[in-house]
Structures are given as structure tokens and as C-alpha cells.
Amino acid sequence: MNILNEHTNTLAERVLGQDSNRYLVAIAGAPGSGKSTLANELARRLNAQGRKSIVVPMDGFHLDNGILEARGLRPRKGAPETFDGAGFVRLVRALKTGEEVIAPTFDRTRDLAIAGSVAVPAAAKVVIVEGNYLMFDEAPWTALADLWDLSVRLDVPMTELRARLIHRWLSLNYSPAVATRRAEGNDIPNAQRVIDQALPCDIALNGEAAQ
């Protein structure tokens, strides 16, 4: 059994043991730690076992590039201050009600958020939220900690994160030099910030081989 299956089994067992109208799972970790992969696999497993589940990514709350340019933050895209953190907190509070909620997503290829692209129906008993700053010790993100029914962190060594973050840019057809510069200039500092200001989670998992 590979590590992704092990992690999925661990989380699915925990979630399936709960009887809640709306159960919120946070999967947190640095960029490149495998959050999306684990979140999607967990949702697939829970749906297969009859527990209606859906994934909501935090990345839909990236501020538009025009706003980042105006604020001088475009080179820091992906840092906490380049998101609508307060808006994201409002979304999670809305998810907690158990009612239908509409959320945005982020298109990495086009580098923009897409409004209204995820519908979370009232029938979704489990909502799996994944993102860098779900358990992050800085306002307004700290308001999220008490909203999760289960918080999970994927821990990956920085050497592995660096390789993954460079590969992410290579996969978008950037040259090795540009990919490395983008990762080292922004993504890796953001990853270190996530690690340095992490709040304790209910479960910590080894994400080294879970991408």
C-alpha cells in the first residue's frame, strides 16, 4: 500500500465515524506538499462509500493580478497578503451552516481566479478544504482554526518541496532557469513561512511521497 492510500484510509476512517450535517476537513501544508492530491483522493473515497463529499480549494481567493500590481504585490503572489483572507474566512463560515455555497477556483495555467465555479450543495455532508494558510498563525487566517471539524497537515522536507515547486513551473513550459528563479524568489519563501507559522493540527501526515 502506498503512502497516499495509507493517508486516505486514515482520514476516511476518521470522517466516516462522524455523523454530522456538515463536516469540515482542512488539509493544510506548504505549497507543493500534495494537498490537492490528498483532498481529491479522500473525496473520491468518501463518495464511493456513500458519504457525499466535495473539495473546495483556498486558491480561488487569490487577489486579481490588477489588484496585486496596484499594491506592489505581484512578485509575491501566493503569500498570505495576496489572498482575500477575510473573504475566505466568510466562505468557511458559510460552509459551516450546511447550506448550499458557491465558491471560486483558481486556474493556474491562466493565472486567475474563476468566480462561481464550485457549487457546494446542501447534500454535501463533508467539505474538504485544501490550502496553504488554513492553519496559519496570522490574522485573519487564525479565525479559521476553530471552524474545522478536523485539521490535517502534510509535512514535507524543504529539499523535496523545492524540487516539486521548480517542477511545477517546468510543467508550465518555463525554462529551467526561469522555473528555478520563480520558485526560489517566491514559492520557497512562502513555503518556509507556512512552516514557521503553522498552528497545531489534529493530524500530521508525512507528505514526502504523497504528491
Side-chain angles (χ1 to χ4, degrees):
M1 182 184 296
N2 66 35
I3 196 166
L4 177 59
N5 284 337
E6 290 179 10
H7 291 347
T8 303
N9 288 344
T10 296
L11 299 182
E13 183 178 347
R14 178 79 170 258
V15 174
L16 289 167
Q18 305 296 324
D19 184 15
S20 175
N21 183 52
R22 175 60 61 74
Y23 193 78
L24 296 186
V25 179
I27 297 182
S33 59
K35 300 179 298 295
S36 299
T37 301
L38 179 59
N40 289 324
E41 181 60 20
L42 177 59
R44 187 197 66 77
R45 180 77 59 83
L46 293 172
N47 281 313
Q49 294 185 265
R51 183 68 65 88
K52 175 68 174 175
S53 305
I54 192 166
V55 175
V56 176
M58 187 202 82
D59 278 358
F61 283 79
H62 271 288
L63 293 176
D64 185 76
N65 289 338
I67 293 177
L68 296 180
E69 292 279 6
R71 296 182 179 182
L73 290 172
R74 181 67 184 276
R76 296 292 297 123
K77 188 166 186 173
E81 56 272 18
T82 66
F83 288 85
D84 177 12
F88 181 70
V89 172
R90 289 192 292 271
L91 172 84
V92 176
R93 286 178 174 149
L95 290 170
K96 195 77 173 172
T97 68
E99 299 175 359
E100 180 185 62
V101 177
I102 305 299
T105 57
F106 186 73
D107 186 320
R108 191 178 300 278
T109 302
R110 291 190 287 168
D111 195 32
L112 53 80
I114 304 173
S117 49
V118 175
V120 181
K125 300 304 181 186
V126 180
V127 179
I128 303 159
V129 184
E130 59 91 2
N132 298 344
Y133 305 114
L134 307 187
M135 292 293 289
F136 186 65
D137 194 12
E138 188 175 302
W141 309 96
T142 46
L144 295 167
D146 292 334
L147 299 176
W148 311 120
D149 296 296
L150 178 64
S151 58
V152 181
R153 180 175 311 286
L154 279 172
D155 291 323
V156 179
M158 182 56 73
T159 52
E160 174 66 17
L161 286 175
R162 181 180 184 278
R164 292 182 185 183
L165 291 167
I166 291 172
H167 182 266
R168 178 179 288 179
W169 290 111
L170 290 172
S171 70
L172 295 174
N173 297 318
Y174 287 91
S175 70
V178 173
T180 300
R181 185 167 63 250
R182 280 179 172 258
E184 292 184 340
N186 189 34
D187 298 337
I188 293 169
N190 288 343
Q192 191 64 56
R193 194 167 167 187
V194 171
I195 293 166
D196 291 344
Q197 295 180 243
L199 292 170
C201 289
D202 298 318
I203 298 176
L205 299 172
N206 173 16
E208 190 167 0
Q211 192 177 40

